Amino acid sequence: MLGDVTQTTGSTAAGPAQDDDRPAAPTPSRGRSRLRVHRAWIVAVVTFVTIIGGAAFNSLPGLLIDPLHTEFGWSRGEIGLAVSIDMALYGLTAPFAAALMDRFGIRRVVVVALSTVAVGALASVWMTASWQLMIYWGLLVGLGTGSMALAFSATVTNRWFVARRGLVTGILTAAGASGQLIFLPLCAWIVEEHGWRPASVTVALAALAVVPFVWLLMRDHPADVGLAPYGGAYVEKPAPARGAAARTVRVLFDAARTGPFWLLAGTFAICGASTNGLIRTHFVPSAHDHGMPITAAASLLAVIGVFDIIGTVFSGWLTDRFDARRLLAVYYALRGISLLFLPILMAPTVHPPMVFFIVFYGLDWVATVPPTLALCREQYGDDSAIVFGWVLASHQVGAALVAFLGGVARDVSGSYDMVWYASGALCATAALMALVIRRQTQTPDPVVLTGSG
């Protein structure tokens, strides 16, 4: 994959890095073509690392519910509300971020986003009231991480790749899981040994550490370095798209007139509810309720991250070859069945059935993203990144509701059991919704491979 030959037809095999505002014209290649990695793969690697750095904060909320409750006396519902604000803004920011990247460039938007995450994480060290938690965790971190959401991956994939789009989508989606794999055990150990504040500082430093890589290595468009996108023909870099906010809203209204949009948004809302809102936020405190140490529960979530990477990349490969609707139906059905068994698996120690659940759930965690994005491309063509941003917003709204309601359910009933069962039933509904999404008989985007949908 990384050994593929850089294309020479209609573009140079390599070119000097230029400023984003001065795109280079293509120059015919001369002499023998040399084996080298296409610049698209370098951009993909930078994107992968960026998402890891930005996703570090996502490892914290589930680890800090109990420490914040103990230190400040805030209810789990209050803490869950801050997490839900973060998740909702993460989703609602994504479609506007995609349009802002069209206007100001990927590099500038992502650098500002990483800096915003760092400020929010650092400021939380000095908070003393729950409203400050809402501002730092909810507002600042939500806006920052939302600007590096999956719409970021979609924008990079759409601009830099024609071939291997499903595979690249799977790889970039797995970056969030890689961040979880790296930071969950680390942050759990820091919280256990040194408290929650050093963990928050660690997350801020992780976000800042990525900024130089983005600024030095990221480019907004293949034309910036005189290249064609991987697997496609050279195209001139489009002029900056003005009116980003207006375009984002217009695309929403256009898409909202179509049935597939609501089905995709509905299924993805359930996806968010059953992953970020449920497992990522409430698995650790739920396991701790049953006597499991926080570090052990966090390690199980990290294992989810390992298999998330495998499952997402494999899902991207499958999406290039099979009907995305049927893939979604299978993913949601299997997820729902596994959630129904989770309450009886909770125990003070890690045992084989729980390990099986973790592996199974990890393989399915965000395997839904490549087929969902493929269906957005199939249905909405050039606007697919922004449409996917709005679909992602529904994902985060679903996550936000369950992050809040799960905490409330725990406060009221003393147990998370009803939340697991309700989420299992929702996943069954999502499986049915995926099957009724209509196929697009004419692909709006002529560069998308026909096998993607």
Side-chain angles (χ1 to χ4, degrees), residues 98-429:
L100 287 172
M101 288 176 188
D102 287 343
R103 173 66 180 90
F104 297 106
I106 297 172
R107 187 169 58 170
R108 293 185 180 93
V109 172
V110 172
V111 166
V112 172
L114 288 166
S115 302
T116 303
V117 171
V119 170
L122 281 176
S124 68
V125 171
W126 293 281
M127 66 185 176
T128 56
S130 60
W131 66 265
Q132 294 170 328
L133 182 69
M134 312 293 176
I135 297 296
Y136 303 147
W137 276 22
L139 179 63
L140 293 179
V141 175
L143 291 174
T145 55
S147 298
M148 297 178 294
L150 291 172
F152 169 38
S153 301
T155 301
V156 170
T157 305
N158 287 349
R159 291 186 184 183
W160 282 90
F161 292 87
V162 174
R164 311 282 180 87
R165 277 182 169 173
L167 178 62
V168 173
T169 299
I171 293 172
L172 295 183
T173 302
S178 300
Q180 176 176 300
L181 172 63
I182 295 168
F183 287 102
L184 256 175
L186 174 62
C187 290
W189 176 81
I190 293 173
V191 170
E192 194 84 0
E193 297 295 325
H194 304 287
W196 65 269
R197 288 178 177 84
S200 190
V201 172
T202 300
V203 166
L205 294 177
L208 289 176
V210 182
V211 170
F213 293 96
V214 176
W215 191 253
L216 295 174
L217 298 176
M218 177 66 71
R219 289 297 178 268
D220 291 333
H221 196 278
D224 289 335
V225 287
L227 287 174
Y230 180 82
Y234 180 88
V235 291
E236 293 288 347
K237 181 179 180 179
R242 300 185 182 276
R247 181 190 174 202
T248 301
V249 174
R250 175 184 58 77
V251 169
L252 171 63
F253 281 119
D254 290 344
R257 297 190 183 99
T258 66
F261 173 79
W262 293 106
L263 292 169
L264 288 168
T267 55
F268 224 41
I270 293 171
C271 178
S274 56
T275 53
N276 292 355
L278 184 65
I279 299 294
R280 179 169 287 165
T281 305
H282 295 295
F283 177 82
V284 171
S286 177
H288 191 55
D289 284 346
H290 289 79
M292 184 179 293
I294 289 177
T295 50
S299 296
L300 288 176
L301 274 186
V303 173
I304 282 182
V306 175
F307 290 94
D308 184 1
I309 297 170
I310 298 170
T312 307
V313 174
F314 185 54
S315 177
W317 183 85
L318 290 174
T319 301
D320 285 333
R321 289 160 175 78
F322 299 101
D323 187 342
R325 301 170 306 155
R326 292 188 173 91
L327 290 176
L328 284 179
V330 171
Y331 296 157
Y332 285 121
L334 293 176
R335 182 183 300 180
I337 292 171
S338 67
L339 285 173
L340 296 178
F341 285 96
L342 183 56
I344 64 175
L345 300 179
M346 291 291 184
T349 58
V350 179
H351 50 90
M354 175 60 82
V355 173
F356 178 79
F357 169 84
I358 292 296
V359 171
F360 185 87
Y361 211 82
L363 291 172
D364 191 73
W365 182 272
V366 285
T368 55
V369 172
T372 300
L373 182 51
L375 288 170
C376 285
R377 289 197 195 102
E378 178 184 297
Q379 299 285 339
Y380 303 106
D382 291 339
D383 290 330
S384 62
I386 297 177
V387 173
F388 182 71
W390 285 114
V391 172
L392 177 62
S394 71
H395 180 283
Q396 293 307 113
V397 169
L401 286 173
V402 171
F404 172 63
L405 294 176
V408 172
R410 170 62 177 80
D411 288 334
V412 172
S413 68
S415 170
Y416 284 104
D417 287 359
M418 69 173 70
V419 184
W420 307 127
Y421 294 135
S423 297
L426 284 174
C427 288
T429 303

